[in-house]
Amino acid sequence: MNTSPDTLLFIGLAAIVAVLVVWNIILARRLRALFRGSTGTALEKVIEAQVKKTTKLEGEAKRQLEELLALRTDFLRSFQKVKLARFNSFDETGASQSFAIAMLDGHNTGFILTSLYLNNAARIFLKPVARGEAQQKLSPEEETLLKDTLQ
């Protein structure tokens, strides 16, 4: 079968036209999907509507970011580090009835609450802690507790 150059050219052009027709059909479907629901409005109106939606979403995202930053600030001020230690305050009492609780926030600020058990009474002490440093002299048990809480 001998084909002339004119025939090959015609077949090539027909193939290109067929590809362009298919491409046109696909593009028309995409455009219809883009404008679905609109009553023949111009592309500018569709873009304006999208810009309004985007602006609204940006405002919502900004509001949520502000709330998140406020929560983060509140979180740093809440107690995050809590430790409890039981110990014997005096050798004769026994049974580890005394205890100390350290409660620190995200800035390592808080307090140490200590209850010392005596034979017929208990004494309670509250010692402030600022930035990981005790504001009053600590007992050895309280110092150990503070170090453990800071870790």
Side-chain angles (χ1 to χ4, degrees), residues 89-90 93 98 116-123:
S89 55
F90 301 103
T93 59
S98 297
L116 294 179
Y117 176 76
L118 306 170
N119 286 335
N120 59 356
R123 300 281 189 246

Side-chain angles (χ1 to χ4, degrees), residues 113-127:
L113 178 71
T114 303
S115 173
L116 294 179
Y117 176 76
L118 306 170
N119 286 335
N120 59 356
R123 300 281 189 246
I124 297 176
F125 303 93
L126 184 71
K127 298 179 182 178

